Amino acid sequence: MKFFRSATVALAAFATAAVGLAAAQTPAPAAAHAAETVAPVAIPPAPKPVGTAWVLVDYASGNVLAGENYDQQLEPASITKVMTSYVVAAEMKNGKVRPDDQVMLSERAWREGGAGTDGSYSGFEVNKTAPLIDMEKGMAVQSGNDAAIALAEHVAGSEEAFASLMNSYAAKIGMKNSHFVNAHGLPAEGHVTTAYDLALLGRALIRDYPETYAYNKIKEFTVGTITQPNRNLLLWRDASVDGIKTGHTSKAGYCLMSSAQRGDQRLIAVVMGSTSEKQRADDSMALLNWGFRFYETHRLYDAGKAIATPRVWKGKVKQVQLGVARPLLVSVPRGRYNALKPSMELPKQLVAPIAQGQAVGTVKVTLDGKVVAQAPLVAIAAVEQGGFFRRLWDAFWMWWESK
């Protein structure tokens, strides 16, 4: 079970079928597409934003399409609240809190994040409660510091304890250069992240908690008599934009974490340290448009459909159907789709029992020798262990093949 095989005769047939599928999904005529594959148009440099750091990331693969200084630690300002949203959603999924919980706006939340401060606020009344889902919308849409603190206190007892949760979840997401001190993003010693880490966070929120993510596209929200608009100007400029979050302090500058989806293709842009609200929006829109213009996303395999049926030993049946648990999408420069090369990695011998959903290998897709997409190969249906004589007979042949 320690040895893996790839590109055997059987896998070559699989690869040919996979490439055939890719070609069949390409709308361009075969001759025109072949010409593009031979001589693709060179991709021009991405439009460089005004700011300290920026990055454009492909959602499907997580690959960086363009960027500069995206691993530099910087203050995230109110983009911090995306991390707060992620933690609240995760704790809700774990049964710790519920959408209809009554969340108290404490004196601390009002004093540090309410209308009397210089920061953004939602306007919830001090020492009164509101449903958790309203607090979330007040934080996501209005960027309310008061709502962020109230949510942190409700979920973890204190904002300090909540910050510890934020750092734990950030580590799970893979945000290696981030550290959070508060739930709202006002300046604090040691409260830092990077443009790339924020792109990872946005990708995780979209993937793991789409209902929570959807709050970020709400254009305005009312608390009491106060109606405030979403500060993300791109929501009004382009219907494909559905998030994510703005941020601004005098030290952090103007920041924007944005995402847009056109068909199966989704991109995430992060611009930090820009000079104005308009500049960060202009630059983010230019990045997104550049990515959509010069890259394309294709669906290679649908979830739950067999893409391979390798031999299984000691089972009631002799083959197992393998597929992917989630749709496998790949993003490549336009005109390079036919150059993709799929392959599989599987154990040398598969032995029953195999549970439904069990990962038993990996499917990879490469372009010019570089992996551009990969996913675990999982069993679509379980394979139960065979009877005594089946296991004995297969044990003999496994031994014989291993000689």
Side-chain angles (χ1 to χ4, degrees):
M1 300 289 286
K2 294 182 180 179
F3 299 97
F4 287 80
R5 60 185 179 181
S6 61
T8 62
V9 173
L11 295 184
F14 158 76
T16 301
V19 173
L21 173 62
Q25 292 174 334
T26 305
H33 196 90
E36 289 180 346
T37 302
V38 173
V41 176
I43 296 177
K48 183 177 178 180
V50 175
T52 309
W54 58 277
V55 70
L56 180 68
V57 170
D58 169 51
Y59 171 79
S61 64
N63 294 334
V64 173
L65 303 184
E68 190 173 86
N69 301 327
Y70 51 81
D71 285 327
Q72 181 179 342
Q73 287 186 323
L74 299 166
E75 290 188 12
S78 281
I79 297 182
T80 297
K81 290 163 184 148
V82 180
M83 188 76 243
T84 301
S85 292
Y86 189 94
V87 174
V88 173
E91 292 296 284
M92 191 181 303
K93 182 180 180 180
N94 292 334
K96 306 289 182 61
V97 294
R98 300 182 305 177
D100 58 353
D101 280 358
Q102 292 297 307
V103 177
M104 173 69 71
L105 189 85
S106 67
E107 289 193 20
R108 176 181 176 178
W110 174 78
R111 186 174 61 252
E112 296 183 10
T117 66
D118 291 331
S120 53
Y121 67 96
S122 295
F124 293 102
E125 293 187 62
V126 64
N127 293 326
K128 292 189 177 181
T129 64
L132 182 145
I133 192 170
D134 287 349
M135 284 282 184
E136 280 196 289
K137 292 176 181 177
M139 178 180 68
V141 181
Q142 301 171 325
S143 197
N145 296 326
D146 48 357
I149 297 171
L151 286 166
E153 292 176 339
H154 181 78
V155 170
S158 70
E159 190 175 15
E160 291 76 16
F162 187 82
S164 179
L165 278 179
M166 295 171 77
N167 290 318
S168 295
Y169 280 107
K172 289 183 179 180
I173 293 169
M175 302 170 66
K176 297 179 180 180
N177 295 306
S178 298
H179 184 261
F180 297 97
V181 176
N182 59 51
H184 43 72
L186 290 174
E189 184 69 28
H191 188 87
V192 294
T193 187
T194 68
Y196 178 70
D197 278 3
L198 290 178
L200 289 181
L201 172 60
R203 186 171 182 245
L205 182 64
I206 295 166
R207 178 192 65 226
D208 299 340
Y209 306 110
E211 291 184 2
T212 297
Y213 174 71
Y215 299 152
N216 294 280
K217 68 180 179 182
I218 298 173
K219 291 185 176 180
E220 64 177 28
F221 187 66
T222 300
V223 175
T225 60
I226 302 173
T227 298
Q228 298 185 68
N230 195 313
R231 292 168 173 79
N232 184 357
L233 300 180
L234 298 188
L235 295 175
W236 282 266
R237 295 188 185 181
D238 191 313
S240 69
V241 175
D242 54 12
I244 304 176
K245 188 73 187 72
T246 62
H248 172 254
T249 65
S250 58
K251 186 174 181 180
Y254 290 85
C255 307
L256 178 56
M257 178 185 184
S258 58
S259 182
Q261 183 170 12
R262 301 176 188 176
D264 276 338
Q265 187 175 15
R266 177 181 285 280
L267 301 175
I268 299 171
V270 180
V271 174
M272 304 183 75
S274 190
T275 54
S276 70
E277 188 174 11
K278 181 179 183 299
Q279 189 69 55
R280 71 186 177 189
D282 290 348
D283 289 343
S284 297
M285 194 74 255
L287 273 180
L288 292 170
N289 284 333
W290 176 86
F292 285 121
R293 169 61 184 85
F294 294 105
Y295 288 84
E296 57 186 354
T297 298
H298 292 270
R299 184 181 295 253
L300 282 178
Y301 308 112
D302 288 318
K305 292 187 178 180
I307 60 176
T309 53
R311 176 76 162 89
V312 177
W313 299 96
K314 300 184 180 181
K316 283 188 175 181
V317 296
K318 293 185 177 181
Q319 291 180 318
V320 57
Q321 291 187 327
L322 300 181
V324 290
R326 292 179 174 176
L328 180 60
L329 298 109
V330 61
S331 295
V332 294
R334 291 191 180 275
R336 300 301 315 281
Y337 197 28
N338 279 347
L340 293 173
K341 298 185 182 300
S343 64
M344 285 195 306
E345 291 180 348
L346 288 172
K348 188 175 181 181
Q349 294 176 330
L350 290 174
V351 182
I354 297 174
Q356 183 178 10
Q358 179 179 334
V360 297
T362 304
V363 57
K364 293 183 179 181
V365 182
T366 61
L367 178 66
D368 299 332
K370 179 181 178 181
V371 176
V372 291
Q374 62 180 324
L377 279 170
V378 301
I380 295 173
V383 177
E384 298 180 6
Q385 196 173 55
F388 173 76
F389 289 107
R390 165 68 69 184
R391 300 197 306 272
L392 185 64
W393 180 254
D394 281 1
F396 168 76
W397 283 107
M398 289 174 67
W399 169 79
W400 182 264
E401 284 197 357
S402 66
K403 291 181 63 176

